[in-house]
């Protein structure tokens, strides 16, 4: 029940599922363990952070204070693995194709199911992801080089501070997409309309002004060419909360693996959720 | 009945009138012959082009095809000097503080009243002006250096083509305001909401990419410093239609003098007019 994605966002011939529920069923059954870019492209995908209840209210405050890097789409009830506001059948223990388990701030494992690790009191946070605004940019006719080349987006640590909450603090991580000025101006307008998935850019032009020493060497993801008639355009990135959580070195924490997102039933076209 | 303008847009101590009608009455009576920046700041001001009926439909098509440099606010009935959609008492023959009269494309005179030149068949065009979007930018907390320094905005001829109509054609003229990237991103969002006064920028960053050889030497207006942590941001400019009309060298034509605008009863807060 898969079809080939005819959109330019499919660099290789990757299947798309008829809907988000089918994609999640394949992931849950272990039939899909790849990254989720381009799967169910009309649907909102999310970054995932799962924390013990003792840290949950600090992290919630951190997200509220830093909505551009941490646009909260949903927070679970403590101990409840379901996320009914994002889809009736979503079980956070099984519906992400690859997780990262962190102990004392160090990566401990990358399982494809966390049922055995589930504990009462865990709280799941789902945060908006740039796949949604990239969908909006592509729909607006703006070509994204890393998508066309089938690469991961280039991401950088910056000197832009976040607003701290409890143990959570640290600089913003940004993603960068090169484009011509006219496209950058349109991209500001397109992404400003979707604050639930990072919103408008936080910077454009000179990378040094936000503390990026070498634009050719991203801290995460793949480098991408910037042509002479292009500007680098920078958006707040969902890697920020993950970096902030890691820096706080919680005893136990689970996230998704970068690019291996939770696919929700919510539609990109419904953003921001009313 | 004038008060001092406490806003940062008043570089010197220039009076503002209680309302647009009072400002027009002072202009009509010859009591105000200065430029109109900062006068009745809540009100929309407009660029003025007055053409013989034979050229009017070509110019109307030109404006329709080039809405960013030529955002049409009103067009008069042929031969009628009144502009009732912009204000009940507006008489285009007397309500602009300084006009320019052009014959065969050459500047022939700069009168403060054109009653003696009025002819049956003349059509008046009023086009949106950047004073309105500068008001919106200042309200959004974005400082404009040329306003703070009491200078005219820097304007440049570019290699950005307009879409021709009849005898009207030629490159776009842009105005430039230097700002930090974060302000530039907000400025895109603020000005995109006011398409009736030039809308979002047409370019930002490298001036050479739009054919500007020396950013320090504007073609119109005053040069302005660009600091190392700033980008030049370029908007389509209302000087474009004037340049295009001059290039067409009509036998007879009247415009406002740059900076000496028509003050209308319409409010900036009502843009775009419903």
């Amino acid at each position: 029940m898969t079809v080939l994605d005819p959109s330019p966002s499919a660099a290789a011939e990757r299947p798309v599922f008829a809907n988000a529920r089918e994609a999640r069923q394949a992931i849950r059954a272990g039939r899909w363990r790849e990254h989720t870019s381009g799967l169910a492209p009309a649907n909102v995908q999310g970054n995932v952070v799962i924390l013990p209840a003792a840290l949950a209210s600090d992290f919630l405050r951190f997200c509220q204070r830093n909505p551009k890097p941490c646009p909260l789409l949903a927070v679970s009830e403590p101990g409840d693995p379901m996320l009914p506001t994002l889809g009736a059948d979503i079980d956070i223990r099984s519906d992400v194709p690859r997780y990262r388990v962190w102990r004392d701030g160090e990566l401990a494992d990358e399982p494809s199911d966390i049922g055995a690790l589930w504990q009462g009191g865990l709280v799941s946070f789902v945060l908006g992801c740039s796949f949604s605004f990239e969908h909006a940019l592509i729909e607006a006719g703006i070509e994204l080089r890393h998508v066309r080349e089938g690469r991961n987006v280039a991401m950088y640590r910056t000197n832009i501070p976040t607003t701290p909450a409890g143990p959570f603090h640290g600089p913003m991580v940004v993603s960068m997409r090169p484009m011509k000025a006219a496209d950058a101006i349109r991209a500001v307008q397109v992404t400003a309309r979707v604050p639930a998935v990072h919103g408008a850019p936080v910077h454009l032009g000179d990378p040094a002004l936000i503390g990026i020493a070498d634009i050719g060497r991203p801290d995460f993801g793949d480098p991408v060419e910037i042509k002479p008639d292009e500007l680098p355009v920078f958006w707040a990135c969902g890697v920020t909360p993950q970096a902030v959580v890691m820096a706080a070195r919680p005893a136990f924490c689970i996230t998704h693996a970068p690019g291996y997102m939770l696919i929700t039933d919510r539609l990109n076209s419904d953003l921001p959720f009313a």
Side-chain angles (χ1 to χ4, degrees), chain A residues 222-238:
Chain A
D222 302 318
V224 65
E225 182 193 11
I226 304 174
K227 297 188 175 173
D229 61 351
E230 293 178 334
L231 291 154
V233 186
F234 299 92
W235 278 266
C237 174

Side-chain angles (χ1 to χ4, degrees), chain A residues 17 20-36 39 45 91-99 112-113 260-264:
Chain A
F17 294 90
R21 180 183 286 255
E22 276 198 18
R24 285 197 305 272
Q25 284 171 344
I27 290 165
R28 196 178 301 156
R31 287 183 279 112
W32 184 265
R33 296 196 171 171
E34 304 299 311
H35 74 79
T36 55
L39 297 194
Q45 301 195 22
D91 184 332
I92 200 63
R93 297 170 297 185
S94 56
D95 287 6
V96 169
R98 190 185 296 176
Y99 299 83
S112 61
D113 186 291
Y260 297 69
M261 303 297 188
L262 176 68
I263 302 174
T264 78

Side-chain angles (χ1 to χ4, degrees), chain A residues 87-273:
Chain A
D89 69 330
I90 293 181
D91 184 332
I92 200 63
R93 297 170 297 185
S94 56
D95 287 6
V96 169
R98 190 185 296 176
Y99 299 83
R100 287 184 162 179
V101 179
W102 305 80
R103 297 189 189 275
D104 300 320
E106 302 291 333
L107 182 61
D109 196 10
E110 285 207 346
S112 61
D113 186 291
I114 55 164
L117 299 170
W118 193 256
Q119 306 167 10
L122 286 178
V123 178
S124 304
F125 296 83
V126 181
L127 308 162
C129 143
S130 61
F131 288 172
S132 295
F133 82 63
E134 291 187 341
H135 180 76
L137 290 171
I138 292 167
E139 294 266 302
I142 298 173
E143 184 178 282
L144 300 176
R145 184 161 301 133
H146 74 282
V147 171
R148 193 170 52 77
E149 295 178 352
R151 290 159 167 248
N152 198 352
V153 72
M155 293 166 275
Y156 305 84
R157 298 184 205 275
T158 70
N159 62 11
I160 303 172
T162 59
T163 305
F168 301 114
H169 63 93
M172 192 185 293
V173 177
V174 297
S175 60
M176 185 278 286
R177 293 158 189 82
M179 45 187 81
K180 292 183 181 173
D183 283 342
I185 290 164
R186 293 187 56 230
V188 170
Q189 298 174 64
V190 169
T191 58
R193 287 180 213 133
V194 283
V197 288
H198 304 308
V202 293
H203 185 63
L204 48 76
D206 187 355
L209 292 173
I210 55 170
I212 298 172
D214 185 349
I215 196 72
R217 297 181 59 187
D219 295 302
F220 312 94
D222 302 318
V224 65
E225 182 193 11
I226 304 174
K227 297 188 175 173
D229 61 351
E230 293 178 334
L231 291 154
V233 186
F234 299 92
W235 278 266
C237 174
V239 171
T240 308
Q242 213 170 106
V244 160
V245 169
M246 293 314 103
R249 305 183 76 82
F252 179 69
C253 159
I254 301 169
T255 67
H256 70 293
Y260 297 69
M261 303 297 188
L262 176 68
I263 302 174
T264 78
D265 283 354
R266 308 304 297 252
L267 297 174
N268 291 316
S269 54
D270 288 343
L271 288 171
F273 301 152

